[in-house]
Amino acid sequence: MKKKIIITSLILALAMANINPSLAANTEVGQTEIKENVKDAVKETYVIKEIGDESVILNKKVEDSDLVSVPKEDFKDIELTIGKEVNITSDGINLLSDPGQFSKIYKIEEANDSMDENKISEKFIVKEINEEAVIVEKEGSEGELYTLSKKYFDKDLRVGDRYEISHNDIVMNSYPAQFNKVYEVKKLAKDNEKINEVSDKNKGDTKADKNPKTGISPAILSLSDLTVSLAGLKINKKK
């Protein structure tokens, strides 16, 4: 009787040993399916803040303090530029690190330029030039300062230069402030340069007015005619 009980116990033990691996496998598969289930994915917009050799630092749109680090290779064919917006689809789980990291990324794509509708252009004056950044002041608004990457400006950049900056009218919380997205930075002529341009134009117009054969302008000819006429009047009076 005891032998039967022992044999039965051994059979049950062997059966459980064979069943347990399959149960564990089913459990692992279930977890994998949940993790890979794109239906539960979260899609958020991020702005490229820094570009390193192996990783890219981004901040969540309109939340510049919410930083994440993403491997550079994950961006594939996306051209990486500071300020570019990208949509990152992830599992919504962030690892505890500084900056944060995604547990799983499903897709990264460039964000649509739907904000181009809010594109505005304003004039600024260069106030300070640092190694990597330039501080500008909005023309006509004393003390309204913004900082931009030096890459947007000409190599011969100087304090006092005027630029027209086109942006999406969204400013990040910092001092000096930073534009969320910059479309174009275009250098403007200074007031004295404008005067010189007008002067040069007038000179060009005068040259254009000259007679191609005589090289004398109509204005000079008119003065000469007037002088001859006056001389003729004087002679007539003497007669």
Side-chain angles (χ1 to χ4, degrees):
M1 186 70 179
K2 289 181 180 178
K3 289 182 179 179
K4 288 183 179 179
I5 293 171
I6 293 170
I7 292 170
T8 305
S9 299
L10 287 170
I11 293 170
L12 288 172
L14 289 170
M16 290 298 293
N18 291 329
I19 292 170
N20 283 341
S22 62
L23 288 173
N26 288 337
T27 305
E28 289 176 2
V29 170
Q31 289 176 349
T32 304
E33 286 177 353
I34 292 170
K35 192 173 182 180
E36 298 290 345
N37 190 355
V38 183
K39 291 181 180 179
D40 298 329
V42 176
K43 183 177 180 180
E44 296 174 302
T45 303
Y46 285 81
V47 182
I48 297 176
K49 190 177 182 70
E50 296 178 22
I51 302 172
D53 294 333
E54 297 182 356
S55 61
V56 178
I57 307 297
L58 309 93
N59 64 272
K60 189 178 287 188
K61 188 173 177 180
V62 196
E63 295 182 28
D64 54 316
S65 60
D66 192 350
L67 302 177
V68 294
S69 176
V70 177
K72 205 170 183 178
E73 60 186 13
D74 287 359
F75 289 87
K76 296 181 180 178
D77 298 330
I78 296 177
E79 183 181 353
L80 297 174
T81 56
I82 302 295
K84 175 174 283 188
E85 295 180 5
V86 294
N87 292 326
I88 298 180
T89 305
S90 69
D91 59 0
I93 299 174
N94 284 354
L95 303 177
L96 295 176
S97 59
D98 188 21
Q101 298 180 56
F102 293 103
S103 171
K104 179 77 175 179
I105 293 177
Y106 299 112
K107 188 178 182 181
I108 300 179
E109 58 188 347
E110 291 189 38
N112 295 328
D113 291 334
S114 58
M115 298 184 69
D116 284 356
E117 298 175 359
N118 299 326
K119 178 179 176 181
I120 65 170
S121 299
E122 297 175 303
K123 296 175 182 177
F124 296 84
I125 301 171
V126 176
K127 302 296 289 186
E128 188 177 330
I129 303 170
N130 300 319
E131 290 185 7
E132 299 294 333
V134 177
I135 296 176
V136 298
E137 182 181 67
K138 186 176 178 180
E139 199 169 78
S141 300
E142 187 176 350
E144 189 174 338
L145 303 176
Y146 298 84
T147 180
L148 290 89
S149 173
K150 205 171 181 178
K151 68 174 186 176
Y152 289 113
F153 300 87
D154 298 338
K155 292 182 179 179
D156 60 344
L157 177 67
R158 294 181 182 179
V159 172
D161 285 349
R162 298 171 66 248
Y163 280 83
E164 183 179 78
I165 300 175
S166 301
H167 54 89
N168 62 356
D169 202 23
I170 295 178
V171 178
M172 300 169 69
N173 293 326
S174 61
Y175 185 82
Q178 297 180 59
F179 295 112
N180 175 260
K181 187 169 186 178
V182 176
Y183 297 101
E184 184 182 14
V185 177
K186 184 170 63 176
K187 188 174 183 180
L188 300 173
K190 293 182 180 179
D191 292 337
N192 58 344
E193 290 176 352
K194 287 181 179 179
I195 293 170
N196 292 335
E197 287 177 4
V198 172
S199 177
D200 292 339
K201 186 178 179 182
N202 290 337
K203 287 179 183 178
D205 293 342
T206 302
K207 290 179 181 178
D209 289 340
K210 288 182 179 180
N211 189 309
K213 292 183 179 180
T214 62
I216 302 173
S217 68
I220 295 174
L221 287 173
S222 298
L223 288 172
S224 300
D225 293 341
L226 181 60
T227 303
V228 171
S229 299
L230 290 172
L233 287 172
K234 286 181 181 180
I235 293 169
N236 289 333
K237 284 182 179 180
K238 286 181 180 180
K239 289 181 180 181

